[in-house]
Amino acid sequence: MTDRFFLLTYEAGDDYGERRAPLRAQHLAVAREAARRGELMSAGALADPVDGSLLIFKAASPEVARRFAETDPYVVNGLIRSWRVREWTPVIGAFSADA
C-alpha cells in the first residue's frame, strides 16, 4: 500500500500554554520517535493564540496518526480538548509529488 499524508490537529484545552511545560519532554520524545520511524514529517504548535497543534504524518493508513494521538502525553493527560485525523493531498511544496 502506498503511503499517504494525514493531518492530526489538536484543539487545546484551557491553560494549555501553562499546563504543557511538565509534559513537554515526554511529548517531544514521542514525537521524535515517530519522526525517527519516518511517520511524523513535521509538527508544531499554533500561535497567537496558543490553542492547538498541527502534525503531518506520512503512512499507509490513518491509524498511525490515531495511535500517536492516543498515546501522546498531552492527550493522555487531558491537555487536548479534541483531536482529529484527516487525509491530506499536498499539491504544491515540499510534501507534493512535484517536490
Side-chain angles (χ1 to χ4, degrees):
M1 181 175 234
T2 305
D3 281 345
R4 302 175 332 235
F5 287 95
F6 299 94
L7 300 179
L8 170 59
T9 55
Y10 282 169
E11 180 184 349
D14 296 334
D15 301 322
Y16 168 74
E18 296 81 31
R19 293 180 58 210
R20 70 180 176 174
L23 299 168
R24 186 165 169 75
Q26 294 172 40
H27 165 76
L28 291 177
V30 171
R32 286 186 179 115
E33 181 60 26
R36 188 193 63 72
R37 289 190 306 267
E39 298 166 350
L40 182 58
M41 302 286 97
S42 189
L46 301 175
D48 199 18
V50 177
D51 62 355
S53 301
L54 175 68
L55 300 91
I56 302 172
F57 288 84
K58 186 176 182 183
S61 80
E63 289 308 311
V64 170
R66 287 187 189 114
R67 220 174 16 255
F68 179 93
E70 291 167 350
T71 61
D72 183 354
Y74 285 177
V75 173
V76 171
N77 289 283
L79 276 69
I80 302 303
R81 178 178 295 133
S82 66
W83 56 269
R84 181 178 182 187
V85 175
R86 296 210 41 204
E87 188 167 354
W88 176 54
T89 304
V91 177
I92 303 285
F95 299 113
S96 72
D98 295 339

Coordinates of all heavy atoms in Angstrom, one line a residue:
M1 N 0.8 -1.2 0.0 CA 0.0 0.0 0.0 C 0.9 1.2 0.0 O 1.9 1.3 0.7 CB -0.9 0.0 1.2 CG -1.8 1.1 1.3 SD -3.0 1.0 2.7 CE -4.5 1.1 1.8
T2 N 0.5 2.2 -0.8 CA 1.3 3.5 -0.9 C 1.0 4.4 0.3 O -0.1 4.5 0.8 CB 0.9 4.2 -2.2 OG1 1.0 3.3 -3.3 CG2 1.7 5.4 -2.4
D3 N 2.1 5.0 0.8 CA 2.0 6.0 1.9 C 1.2 7.2 1.4 O 1.3 7.6 0.2 CB 3.3 6.4 2.4 CG 4.0 5.4 3.3 OD1 3.3 4.5 3.7 OD2 5.2 5.5 3.5
R4 N 0.4 7.7 2.3 CA -0.4 8.9 2.1 C -0.1 9.9 3.2 O 0.6 9.5 4.2 CB -1.9 8.5 2.0 CG -2.1 7.5 1.0 CD -3.6 7.0 0.9 NE -4.3 7.0 2.1 CZ -4.9 5.9 2.6 NH1 -4.9 4.7 2.0 NH2 -5.7 6.0 3.7
F5 N -0.6 11.1 3.1 CA -0.4 12.1 4.2 C -1.6 12.2 5.0 O -2.8 12.1 4.5 CB 0.0 13.4 3.6 CG 1.4 13.5 3.0 CD1 1.6 13.2 1.7 CD2 2.5 13.7 3.9 CE1 2.9 13.2 1.2 CE2 3.8 13.7 3.4 CZ 4.0 13.5 2.0
F6 N -1.4 12.4 6.3 CA -2.5 12.6 7.2 C -2.2 13.8 8.2 O -1.1 13.9 8.6 CB -2.8 11.3 8.1 CG -3.2 10.2 7.2 CD1 -2.2 9.3 6.7 CD2 -4.5 10.0 6.8 CE1 -2.6 8.2 5.9 CE2 -4.9 8.9 6.0 CZ -3.9 8.0 5.5
L7 N -3.2 14.6 8.4 CA -3.0 15.7 9.3 C -3.7 15.3 10.6 O -4.8 14.9 10.6 CB -3.7 17.0 8.8 CG -3.2 17.5 7.4 CD1 -4.1 18.8 7.1 CD2 -1.8 17.8 7.5
L8 N -3.0 15.5 11.7 CA -3.5 15.4 13.0 C -3.6 16.8 13.6 O -2.6 17.5 13.7 CB -2.6 14.5 13.9 CG -2.9 14.4 15.4 CD1 -4.3 13.9 15.7 CD2 -1.8 13.6 16.1
T9 N -4.8 17.2 13.9 CA -5.0 18.5 14.5 C -5.5 18.4 16.0 O -6.3 17.5 16.3 CB -6.0 19.4 13.7 OG1 -7.2 18.7 13.6 CG2 -5.5 19.7 12.3
Y10 N -4.9 19.2 16.8 CA -5.2 19.2 18.2 C -5.9 20.5 18.5 O -5.5 21.6 18.1 CB -4.0 19.2 19.1 CG -3.3 17.8 19.3 CD1 -2.1 17.8 19.8 CD2 -3.9 16.6 18.9 CE1 -1.4 16.5 20.0 CE2 -3.3 15.4 19.0 CZ -2.0 15.4 19.6 OH -1.4 14.2 19.8
E11 N -7.0 20.5 19.3 CA -7.6 21.6 19.9 C -7.3 21.6 21.4 O -7.6 20.7 22.1 CB -9.1 21.6 19.7 CG -9.8 22.9 20.3 CD -11.3 22.8 20.2 OE1 -11.9 22.0 19.5 OE2 -11.9 23.7 20.9
A12 N -6.5 22.6 21.8 CA -6.0 22.6 23.2 C -7.1 23.0 24.2 O -8.1 23.7 23.9 CB -4.9 23.6 23.3
G13 N -7.0 22.4 25.4 CA -7.9 22.8 26.5 C -7.5 24.1 27.1 O -6.5 24.7 26.8
D14 N -8.2 24.5 28.2 CA -7.9 25.7 28.9 C -6.5 25.6 29.5 O -6.0 24.5 30.0 CB -8.9 25.9 30.0 CG -10.3 26.2 29.5 OD1 -10.4 26.6 28.3 OD2 -11.3 25.9 30.2
D15 N -5.8 26.7 29.6 CA -4.5 26.8 30.2 C -3.4 25.9 29.5 O -2.4 25.5 30.2 CB -4.5 26.6 31.7 CG -5.4 27.6 32.4 OD1 -5.5 28.7 32.0 OD2 -6.1 27.1 33.3
Y16 N -3.6 25.5 28.3 CA -2.7 24.7 27.6 C -1.2 25.2 27.6 O -0.3 24.4 27.9 CB -3.2 24.5 26.2 CG -2.2 23.8 25.2 CD1 -1.9 22.5 25.3 CD2 -1.5 24.6 24.3 CE1 -1.0 21.8 24.4 CE2 -0.6 24.0 23.4 CZ -0.4 22.6 23.5 OH 0.5 22.0 22.6
G17 N -1.1 26.5 27.4 CA 0.2 27.1 27.4 C 1.0 26.9 28.7 O 2.2 26.6 28.7
E18 N 0.3 26.9 29.8 CA 0.9 26.8 31.1 C 1.1 25.3 31.5 O 2.0 24.9 32.1 CB 0.2 27.5 32.2 CG 0.1 29.0 32.0 CD -0.9 29.5 31.0 OE1 -2.0 28.8 30.8 OE2 -0.6 30.5 30.3
R19 N 0.0 24.5 31.1 CA 0.0 23.1 31.6 C 0.9 22.2 30.8 O 1.2 21.1 31.3 CB -1.5 22.6 31.5 CG -2.4 23.3 32.4 CD -3.8 22.8 32.3 NE -3.9 21.3 32.6 CZ -4.7 20.5 32.0 NH1 -5.6 21.0 31.2 NH2 -4.7 19.2 32.2
R20 N 1.3 22.6 29.6 CA 2.2 21.7 28.8 C 3.6 21.5 29.3 O 4.3 20.6 29.0 CB 2.1 22.0 27.4 CG 2.8 23.3 27.0 CD 2.7 23.6 25.6 NE 3.3 24.9 25.3 CZ 3.5 25.4 24.1 NH1 3.1 24.7 23.0 NH2 4.1 26.6 23.9
A21 N 4.1 22.5 30.0 CA 5.5 22.6 30.4 C 6.0 21.3 31.1 O 7.0 20.7 30.7 CB 5.8 23.8 31.3
P22 N 5.3 20.7 32.1 CA 5.8 19.5 32.7 C 5.7 18.3 31.8 O 6.4 17.3 32.1 CB 4.8 19.3 33.9 CG 4.0 20.6 34.1 CD 4.1 21.3 32.7
L23 N 5.0 18.3 30.8 CA 4.8 17.1 29.9 C 5.6 17.3 28.6 O 5.6 16.4 27.7 CB 3.3 16.9 29.6 CG 2.5 16.6 30.8 CD1 1.0 16.6 30.5 CD2 2.9 15.2 31.4
R24 N 6.2 18.4 28.4 CA 6.8 18.8 27.1 C 7.9 17.8 26.7 O 7.9 17.3 25.5 CB 7.3 20.2 27.1 CG 7.8 20.6 25.7 CD 8.0 22.2 25.7 NE 8.7 22.6 24.5 CZ 8.2 22.7 23.3 NH1 7.0 22.3 23.1 NH2 8.9 23.2 22.3
A25 N 8.7 17.4 27.6 CA 9.8 16.5 27.3 C 9.3 15.1 26.8 O 9.8 14.5 25.9 CB 10.8 16.4 28.5
Q26 N 8.3 14.6 27.5 CA 7.7 13.4 27.2 C 7.0 13.4 25.8 O 7.1 12.5 25.0 CB 6.6 12.9 28.2 CG 7.2 12.6 29.6 CD 6.1 12.4 30.6 OE1 5.0 11.8 30.3 NE2 6.2 13.0 31.8
H27 N 6.3 14.5 25.6 CA 5.6 14.7 24.3 C 6.6 14.8 23.2 O 6.4 14.1 22.1 CB 4.8 16.0 24.3 CG 4.3 16.5 23.0 ND1 3.3 16.0 22.3 CD2 4.8 17.6 22.3 CE1 3.1 16.6 21.2 NE2 4.0 17.6 21.1
L28 N 7.7 15.5 23.3 CA 8.7 15.6 22.3 C 9.4 14.3 22.1 O 9.8 14.0 20.9 CB 9.7 16.7 22.6 CG 9.1 18.2 22.6 CD1 10.2 19.2 23.0 CD2 8.6 18.5 21.2
A29 N 9.6 13.5 23.1 CA 10.2 12.2 22.9 C 9.3 11.3 22.1 O 9.9 10.6 21.2 CB 10.5 11.6 24.3
V30 N 8.0 11.3 22.3 CA 7.1 10.5 21.5 C 7.1 11.0 20.0 O 7.2 10.2 19.1 CB 5.7 10.6 22.1 CG1 4.7 10.0 21.1 CG2 5.6 9.9 23.4
A31 N 7.1 12.3 19.9 CA 7.2 12.9 18.5 C 8.5 12.6 17.8 O 8.5 12.2 16.6 CB 7.0 14.4 18.6
R32 N 9.6 12.7 18.5 CA 10.9 12.4 17.9 C 11.0 11.0 17.5 O 11.6 10.6 16.4 CB 12.0 12.8 18.8 CG 12.2 14.3 18.9 CD 13.4 14.7 19.7 NE 13.5 16.2 19.7 CZ 13.4 16.9 20.8 NH1 13.2 16.4 22.0 NH2 13.5 18.2 20.7
E33 N 10.4 10.1 18.2 CA 10.4 8.7 17.9 C 9.6 8.4 16.6 O 10.0 7.6 15.8 CB 9.9 7.8 19.1 CG 9.9 6.3 18.8 CD 11.3 5.7 18.5 OE1 12.3 6.3 18.9 OE2 11.4 4.7 17.8
A34 N 8.5 9.1 16.5 CA 7.6 8.9 15.3 C 8.4 9.5 14.1 O 8.3 8.9 13.0 CB 6.3 9.6 15.5
A35 N 9.1 10.6 14.3 CA 9.9 11.1 13.2 C 11.0 10.2 12.8 O 11.3 10.0 11.6 CB 10.4 12.5 13.6
R36 N 11.6 9.6 13.8 CA 12.7 8.7 13.5 C 12.3 7.5 12.7 O 13.0 7.0 11.8 CB 13.4 8.2 14.8 CG 14.7 7.4 14.6 CD 15.1 6.6 15.9 NE 14.1 5.6 16.3 CZ 13.9 4.5 15.7 NH1 14.4 4.1 14.6 NH2 13.0 3.6 16.2
R37 N 11.0 7.0 13.0 CA 10.4 5.9 12.2 C 10.0 6.4 10.8 O 9.6 5.5 10.0 CB 9.2 5.4 13.0 CG 9.6 4.6 14.2 CD 8.4 3.8 14.8 NE 7.2 4.7 15.0 CZ 6.9 5.3 16.2 NH1 7.7 5.1 17.2 NH2 5.8 6.0 16.3
G38 N 10.1 7.6 10.5 CA 9.6 8.1 9.2 C 8.2 8.4 9.1 O 7.7 8.6 8.0
E39 N 7.4 8.4 10.2 CA 6.0 8.6 10.2 C 5.6 10.1 10.3 O 4.8 10.6 9.6 CB 5.3 7.8 11.3 CG 5.5 6.4 11.2 CD 5.2 5.6 12.5 OE1 5.0 6.2 13.6 OE2 5.2 4.4 12.4
L40 N 6.3 10.8 11.2 CA 5.9 12.2 11.5 C 6.9 13.1 10.7 O 8.1 13.1 10.8 CB 6.1 12.5 13.0 CG 5.8 13.9 13.5 CD1 4.3 14.3 13.1 CD2 6.0 14.1 14.9
M41 N 6.3 13.8 9.7 CA 7.1 14.6 8.8 C 7.3 16.0 9.3 O 8.4 16.6 9.1 CB 6.3 14.8 7.5 CG 6.0 13.4 6.8 SD 7.5 12.7 6.0 CE 8.0 11.5 7.3
S42 N 6.4 16.6 10.0 CA 6.5 17.9 10.6 C 5.4 18.1 11.6 O 4.4 17.5 11.6 CB 6.3 19.0 9.5 OG 6.7 20.3 9.9
A43 N 5.7 19.0 12.6 CA 4.7 19.3 13.7 C 5.0 20.6 14.3 O 6.2 21.0 14.3 CB 4.8 18.1 14.7
G44 N 4.0 21.2 14.9 CA 4.2 22.4 15.6 C 3.0 23.0 16.2 O 1.9 22.6 15.8
A45 N 3.2 23.8 17.2 CA 2.0 24.4 17.9 C 1.5 25.6 17.1 O 2.3 26.3 16.4 CB 2.5 24.9 19.3
L46 N 0.2 25.9 17.2 CA -0.4 27.1 16.6 C -0.1 28.2 17.6 O 0.0 28.0 18.8 CB -1.9 26.9 16.5 CG -2.3 25.7 15.5 CD1 -3.8 25.6 15.5 CD2 -1.8 26.0 14.1
A47 N 0.1 29.4 17.1 CA 0.5 30.5 17.9 C -0.5 31.7 17.8 O -1.2 31.8 16.8 CB 1.9 31.0 17.5
D48 N -0.5 32.5 18.8 CA -1.2 33.8 18.8 C -2.7 33.6 18.4 O -3.1 34.2 17.4 CB -0.5 34.8 18.0 CG -0.9 36.2 18.3 OD1 -1.4 36.4 19.4 OD2 -0.6 37.1 17.5
P49 N -3.5 32.9 19.2 CA -3.2 32.3 20.5 C -2.7 30.9 20.4 O -2.9 30.2 19.4 CB -4.6 32.3 21.1 CG -5.5 32.1 20.0 CD -4.9 32.8 18.8
V50 N -2.0 30.5 21.4 CA -1.5 29.1 21.5 C -2.7 28.3 21.9 O -3.1 28.2 23.1 CB -0.4 29.0 22.6 CG1 0.0 27.5 22.7 CG2 0.8 29.9 22.2
D51 N -3.4 27.6 20.9 CA -4.6 26.9 21.2 C -4.8 25.6 20.5 O -5.8 25.0 20.4 CB -5.8 27.8 20.9 CG -5.9 28.2 19.4 OD1 -5.0 27.8 18.7 OD2 -6.9 28.8 19.0
G52 N -3.6 25.1 20.0 CA -3.7 23.8 19.3 C -2.4 23.5 18.6 O -1.4 24.3 18.7
S53 N -2.4 22.4 17.8 CA -1.2 22.0 17.1 C -1.6 21.3 15.8 O -2.7 20.9 15.6 CB -0.4 21.0 17.9 OG 0.0 21.5 19.2
L54 N -0.6 21.2 14.9 CA -0.8 20.6 13.6 C 0.4 19.6 13.4 O 1.5 20.0 13.6 CB -0.9 21.6 12.5 CG -0.9 21.0 11.1 CD1 -2.2 20.3 10.9 CD2 -0.7 22.1 10.0
L55 N 0.1 18.4 13.1 CA 1.1 17.4 12.9 C 0.9 16.7 11.6 O -0.3 16.4 11.3 CB 1.1 16.3 14.0 CG 1.3 16.8 15.4 CD1 0.0 17.2 16.1 CD2 2.1 15.8 16.3
I56 N 1.9 16.5 10.8 CA 1.8 15.9 9.4 C 2.4 14.5 9.5 O 3.6 14.4 9.8 CB 2.4 16.8 8.4 CG1 1.8 18.2 8.4 CG2 2.3 16.1 7.0 CD1 2.5 19.2 7.5
F57 N 1.6 13.5 9.1 CA 2.1 12.2 9.1 C 2.1 11.6 7.7 O 1.3 12.0 6.9 CB 1.2 11.2 9.9 CG 1.4 11.5 11.4 CD1 0.7 12.5 12.0 CD2 2.2 10.7 12.2 CE1 0.8 12.7 13.4 CE2 2.4 10.9 13.5 CZ 1.7 11.9 14.1
K58 N 3.1 10.7 7.4 CA 3.1 10.0 6.1 C 3.1 8.5 6.5 O 4.0 8.0 7.2 CB 4.4 10.3 5.4 CG 4.4 9.7 4.0 CD 5.7 10.2 3.2 CE 5.7 9.6 1.8 NZ 6.9 10.0 1.1
A59 N 2.0 7.8 6.0 CA 1.8 6.5 6.4 C 0.8 5.8 5.5 O 0.2 6.4 4.7 CB 1.2 6.4 7.9
A60 N 0.7 4.5 5.6 CA -0.2 3.7 4.8 C -1.6 3.9 5.2 O -2.6 3.7 4.4 CB 0.2 2.2 4.8
S61 N -1.9 4.3 6.4 CA -3.3 4.4 6.9 C -3.3 5.5 8.0 O -2.3 5.8 8.6 CB -3.8 3.1 7.5 OG -3.3 2.9 8.8
P62 N -4.5 6.0 8.3 CA -4.7 7.0 9.3 C -4.4 6.4 10.7 O -4.2 7.2 11.7 CB -6.1 7.5 9.2 CG -6.8 6.4 8.5 CD -5.8 5.7 7.6
E63 N -4.3 5.1 10.9 CA -4.1 4.5 12.2 C -2.8 5.0 12.8 O -2.7 5.1 14.1 CB -4.1 3.0 12.1 CG -5.5 2.4 11.8 CD -6.6 2.9 12.8 OE1 -6.3 2.9 14.0 OE2 -7.6 3.4 12.3
V64 N -1.8 5.3 12.0 CA -0.5 5.8 12.6 C -0.7 7.1 13.3 O -0.3 7.2 14.5 CB 0.5 5.9 11.5 CG1 1.8 6.6 11.9 CG2 0.9 4.5 10.9
A65 N -1.4 8.0 12.7 CA -1.7 9.3 13.4 C -2.6 9.1 14.6 O -2.4 9.7 15.6 CB -2.3 10.3 12.4
R66 N -3.6 8.2 14.5 CA -4.5 8.0 15.6 C -3.8 7.4 16.8 O -4.0 7.8 17.9 CB -5.7 7.0 15.1 CG -6.7 7.7 14.3 CD -7.9 6.8 14.0 NE -8.7 7.4 13.0 CZ -8.9 6.9 11.8 NH1 -8.4 5.7 11.4 NH2 -9.7 7.5 10.9
R67 N -3.0 6.4 16.5 CA -2.2 5.8 17.5 C -1.3 6.8 18.2 O -1.1 6.8 19.5 CB -1.3 4.6 16.9 CG -1.3 3.4 17.8 CD -0.6 2.2 17.2 NE 0.2 2.4 16.0 CZ -0.1 2.1 14.7 NH1 -1.3 1.6 14.5 NH2 0.7 2.4 13.7
F68 N -0.7 7.7 17.5 CA 0.1 8.7 18.1 C -0.7 9.6 19.0 O -0.3 9.8 20.2 CB 0.7 9.7 17.0 CG 1.5 10.8 17.5 CD1 2.9 10.6 17.7 CD2 1.0 12.0 17.9 CE1 3.7 11.6 18.2 CE2 1.7 13.0 18.5 CZ 3.1 12.8 18.6
A69 N -1.8 10.0 18.6 CA -2.7 10.9 19.5 C -3.1 10.1 20.7 O -3.1 10.7 21.8 CB -3.9 11.3 18.7
E70 N -3.5 8.9 20.6 CA -4.0 8.1 21.7 C -2.9 7.8 22.8 O -3.2 7.5 23.9 CB -4.6 6.8 21.2 CG -5.9 7.0 20.5 CD -6.3 5.8 19.7 OE1 -5.5 4.8 19.6 OE2 -7.5 5.8 19.2
T71 N -1.6 8.0 22.4 CA -0.5 7.7 23.3 C 0.3 9.0 23.7 O 1.2 8.9 24.5 CB 0.5 6.7 22.8 OG1 1.1 7.1 21.5 CG2 -0.2 5.3 22.5
D72 N -0.1 10.1 23.0 CA 0.6 11.4 23.3 C 0.3 11.8 24.7 O -0.8 11.9 25.1 CB 0.1 12.4 22.3 CG 0.8 13.7 22.4 OD1 1.6 13.9 23.4 OD2 0.6 14.6 21.6
P73 N 1.4 12.1 25.5 CA 1.2 12.6 26.9 C 0.2 13.8 27.0 O -0.5 13.9 28.0 CB 2.6 12.9 27.4 CG 3.5 12.0 26.6 CD 2.8 11.9 25.2
Y74 N 0.2 14.7 26.0 CA -0.7 15.8 26.0 C -2.1 15.3 26.0 O -3.0 15.9 26.7 CB -0.4 16.7 24.9 CG 0.8 17.6 25.0 CD1 1.2 18.4 23.9 CD2 1.6 17.6 26.1 CE1 2.3 19.2 24.0 CE2 2.8 18.4 26.1 CZ 3.1 19.2 25.1 OH 4.2 20.0 25.1
V75 N -2.4 14.3 25.2 CA -3.8 13.8 25.1 C -4.1 13.0 26.3 O -5.2 13.2 26.9 CB -4.0 13.0 23.8 CG1 -5.3 12.3 23.8 CG2 -3.8 13.9 22.6
V76 N -3.3 12.1 26.7 CA -3.5 11.2 27.8 C -3.7 12.0 29.1 O -4.6 11.6 29.9 CB -2.3 10.2 28.0 CG1 -2.4 9.4 29.3 CG2 -2.2 9.3 26.8
N77 N -3.1 13.1 29.3 CA -3.2 13.9 30.5 C -4.2 15.0 30.4 O -4.2 15.9 31.3 CB -1.8 14.4 30.9 CG -0.9 13.3 31.4 OD1 -1.1 12.9 32.5 ND2 0.0 12.8 30.6
G78 N -5.0 15.0 29.3 CA -6.1 15.9 29.3 C -5.8 17.4 28.8 O -6.7 18.2 29.0
L79 N -4.7 17.6 28.3 CA -4.4 19.0 27.8 C -5.1 19.3 26.5 O -5.3 20.4 26.1 CB -2.8 19.2 27.6 CG -2.1 19.5 28.9 CD1 -2.0 18.4 29.8 CD2 -0.7 19.9 28.5
I80 N -5.4 18.2 25.7 CA -6.0 18.4 24.4 C -7.5 18.1 24.6 O -7.9 17.1 25.0 CB -5.4 17.4 23.4 CG1 -3.9 17.7 23.3 CG2 -6.1 17.5 22.0 CD1 -3.5 19.1 22.9
R81 N -8.3 19.1 24.2 CA -9.8 19.0 24.3 C -10.3 18.1 23.3 O -11.2 17.3 23.5 CB -10.4 20.4 24.1 CG -11.9 20.5 24.1 CD -12.4 21.9 24.0 NE -12.0 22.7 25.2 CZ -11.5 23.9 25.1 NH1 -11.3 24.5 24.0 NH2 -11.1 24.5 26.2
S82 N -9.8 18.1 22.0 CA -10.2 17.2 21.0 C -9.1 17.1 19.9 O -8.3 18.0 19.8 CB -11.5 17.7 20.3 OG -11.3 19.0 19.7
W83 N -9.2 16.0 19.2 CA -8.2 15.9 18.1 C -8.9 15.2 16.9 O -10.0 14.6 17.1 CB -7.0 15.1 18.5 CG -7.2 13.7 19.2 CD1 -7.4 13.5 20.5 CD2 -7.3 12.5 18.5 NE1 -7.6 12.1 20.7 CE2 -7.6 11.5 19.4 CE3 -7.2 12.1 17.1 CZ2 -7.7 10.1 19.1 CZ3 -7.4 10.7 16.8 CH2 -7.6 9.8 17.8
R84 N -8.3 15.4 15.7 CA -8.9 14.9 14.5 C -7.8 14.5 13.5 O -6.8 15.2 13.4 CB -9.8 16.0 13.9 CG -10.5 15.6 12.7 CD -11.4 16.8 12.3 NE -12.1 16.4 11.1 CZ -12.8 17.2 10.4 NH1 -12.9 18.5 10.8 NH2 -13.5 16.8 9.3
V85 N -8.1 13.4 12.8 CA -7.1 12.9 11.8 C -7.9 13.0 10.4 O -9.0 12.6 10.3 CB -6.7 11.5 12.0 CG1 -5.8 11.0 10.8 CG2 -5.9 11.4 13.3
R86 N -7.2 13.7 9.4 CA -7.8 13.8 8.1 C -6.8 13.5 7.1 O -5.6 13.9 7.2 CB -8.3 15.2 7.9 CG -9.5 15.5 8.8 CD -10.5 16.5 8.3 NE -10.9 16.3 6.9 CZ -11.4 17.3 6.2 NH1 -11.5 18.5 6.8 NH2 -11.8 17.2 5.0
E87 N -7.1 12.8 6.0 CA -6.2 12.6 4.9 C -6.0 13.9 4.2 O -6.9 14.8 4.1 CB -6.7 11.6 3.9 CG -5.7 11.2 2.9 CD -6.0 10.0 2.1 OE1 -7.0 9.3 2.4 OE2 -5.3 9.7 1.1
W88 N -4.7 14.1 3.7 CA -4.4 15.4 3.1 C -3.6 15.1 1.8 O -2.8 14.2 1.8 CB -3.5 16.2 4.1 CG -2.9 17.5 3.6 CD1 -3.6 18.5 3.0 CD2 -1.5 17.8 3.6 NE1 -2.7 19.5 2.7 CE2 -1.4 19.1 3.1 CE3 -0.3 17.2 4.0 CZ2 -0.2 19.8 2.9 CZ3 0.9 17.9 3.9 CH2 0.9 19.2 3.3
T89 N -3.9 15.8 0.8 CA -3.3 15.6 -0.5 C -2.5 16.9 -0.9 O -3.1 17.9 -1.3 CB -4.3 15.4 -1.6 OG1 -5.1 14.2 -1.3 CG2 -3.6 15.1 -3.0
P90 N -1.2 16.9 -0.6 CA -0.4 18.1 -0.9 C -0.2 18.2 -2.4 O 0.0 17.2 -3.1 CB 0.9 17.8 -0.2 CG 1.0 16.3 0.0 CD -0.4 15.8 0.0
V91 N -0.4 19.4 -2.9 CA -0.3 19.7 -4.4 C 0.9 20.5 -4.7 O 1.5 20.3 -5.7 CB -1.6 20.4 -4.8 CG1 -1.5 20.7 -6.3 CG2 -2.8 19.5 -4.5
I92 N 1.3 21.4 -3.8 CA 2.4 22.3 -4.1 C 3.3 22.2 -2.8 O 2.8 22.1 -1.7 CB 1.9 23.8 -4.2 CG1 0.9 23.9 -5.4 CG2 3.1 24.7 -4.4 CD1 1.5 23.9 -6.7
G93 N 4.6 22.3 -3.0 CA 5.5 22.4 -1.9 C 6.3 21.1 -1.6 O 6.3 20.2 -2.3
A94 N 6.9 21.2 -0.4 CA 7.9 20.1 0.0 C 7.2 18.7 0.1 O 7.9 17.7 -0.2 CB 8.5 20.5 1.3
F95 N 6.0 18.6 0.4 CA 5.3 17.3 0.5 C 4.6 16.8 -0.7 O 4.1 15.7 -0.8 CB 4.4 17.3 1.7 CG 5.0 17.6 3.0 CD1 4.7 18.8 3.7 CD2 5.9 16.8 3.6 CE1 5.3 19.1 4.9 CE2 6.5 17.1 4.8 CZ 6.2 18.2 5.4
S96 N 4.6 17.6 -1.8 CA 3.9 17.3 -3.0 C 4.7 16.3 -3.8 O 5.9 16.1 -3.7 CB 3.6 18.5 -3.8 OG 4.8 19.0 -4.4
A97 N 4.0 15.7 -4.8 CA 4.7 14.7 -5.7 C 5.7 15.4 -6.6 O 6.7 14.8 -7.0 CB 3.7 14.0 -6.5
D98 N 5.6 16.7 -6.7 CA 6.5 17.5 -7.6 C 7.8 17.9 -6.8 O 8.7 18.3 -7.5 CB 5.8 18.8 -8.0 CG 4.7 18.6 -9.0 OD1 4.6 17.5 -9.5 OD2 3.8 19.5 -9.1
A99 N 7.8 17.7 -5.5 CA 9.0 18.1 -4.8 C 10.2 17.2 -5.0 O 10.1 16.1 -5.4 CB 8.7 18.1 -3.3

